[in-house]
Amino acid sequence: MTDAQKTLAFVVYPGLTPLDLVGPLQVLSGLAQMDAGYRTVVVGATKDTVGTDTPLRVAPSHTFEEVPAPYAVLVPGGTVPTLRAMADERLLAWLRAAAGGAELVTSVCTGSLILGAAGLLEGKRATTHWMFRDLLAGLGATPVARRWVEDGSVITAAGVSAGIDLALHLVERLAGRRVATNIQFAIEYDPEPPQGALDWANQPYGDLKPLREHTLREGLAEHPALLEKLLAHT
């Protein structure tokens, strides 16, 4: 690392959704390869490998203590473990400290709930996975149904794959449209889902409601006051 480099820090905690992390990391690592003014790091409480919500395990490149003042922070999401992470005081304390000097504080999917638990969404417009978007109001944010939402230095993305969109937006903001387009071509990001575009008028909330209820019940089982706070605005 040089004194001139800006550090883009991606947060790791047990049980996260890998695509929330790796999608944006791939995009912004491309920026770091093209522009020596940036570097990407993956930070966690320790450098030990942690599990995810798939069989894949990941290991941070740095500890929280080694990256006290990043230029940008990105928090990935997940399901039950992410809600548990909302009460991880070590993680929350690092986020508060890092956000104090960061130019950009970002999240993917339910990672925004962790930002909210750290007090970083108060008075902000924000988004998250559509199943949990209403919970943002309980964290002082204004929920917005968009692919990503930018409110000053805070930028939040919707569910999982939206993290790639967020990261390409960040590249354009940091380095310009040409660089962002080049990276989009490099990763061949041109979505054509086999089932077609999502029909938001017919979202499968009923089918997925048990998943939401299980996530809330299991994730915040030891923190009923926080669960009550989140649900009070739904």
Side-chain angles (χ1 to χ4, degrees), residues 10 14 20-21 27 61 63 126 130 156 164 198 209 212 214:
F10 294 74
D20 286 8
L21 170 73
V27 170
S61 60
T63 65
W130 61 270
T156 53
I164 297 175
L198 297 181
K209 189 174 182 179
R212 172 188 158 102
H214 168 78

Side-chain angles (χ1 to χ4, degrees), residues 40-222:
T40 53
V41 300
V42 180
V43 298
T46 72
K47 293 183 183 178
D48 296 337
T49 60
V50 299
T52 68
D53 60 8
T54 75
L56 178 70
R57 297 181 63 82
V58 297
S61 60
H62 294 72
T63 65
F64 290 146
E65 291 75 16
E66 290 174 327
V67 188
Y71 177 82
V73 175
L74 184 142
V75 182
T79 53
V80 170
T82 299
L83 269 67
R84 290 176 179 157
M86 293 175 68
D88 181 341
E89 284 303 324
R90 187 172 181 182
L91 169 58
L92 300 183
W94 180 83
L95 283 172
R96 293 184 192 108
E103 291 294 323
L104 294 166
V105 178
T106 72
S107 65
V108 179
C109 195
T110 50
S112 60
L113 299 181
I114 297 178
L115 292 183
L120 301 176
L121 295 185
E122 191 70 37
K124 298 289 187 180
R125 298 165 62 252
T127 194
T128 190
H129 191 285
W130 61 270
M131 274 198 298
F132 302 97
R133 191 188 305 128
D134 59 337
L135 301 180
L136 289 170
L139 297 167
T142 299
V144 179
R146 287 182 54 193
R147 190 73 167 161
W148 79 84
V149 175
E150 185 168 1
D151 191 334
S153 62
V154 176
I155 311 177
T156 53
V160 193
S161 63
I164 297 175
D165 294 35
L166 166 68
L168 288 167
H169 169 67
L170 290 177
V171 172
E172 181 175 10
R173 174 168 166 163
L174 296 173
R177 185 175 181 84
R178 181 174 181 179
V179 175
T181 299
N182 286 344
I183 292 175
Q184 183 170 328
F185 266 95
I187 64 172
E188 291 198 45
Y189 184 57
D190 187 20
E192 294 185 19
Q195 311 309 320
L198 297 181
D199 180 0
W200 292 106
N202 294 296
Q203 62 191 38
Y205 184 81
D207 294 341
L208 296 177
K209 189 174 182 179
L211 173 60
R212 172 188 158 102
E213 293 177 349
H214 168 78
T215 300
L216 292 172
R217 184 175 62 252
E218 294 296 319
L220 296 174
E222 298 182 7

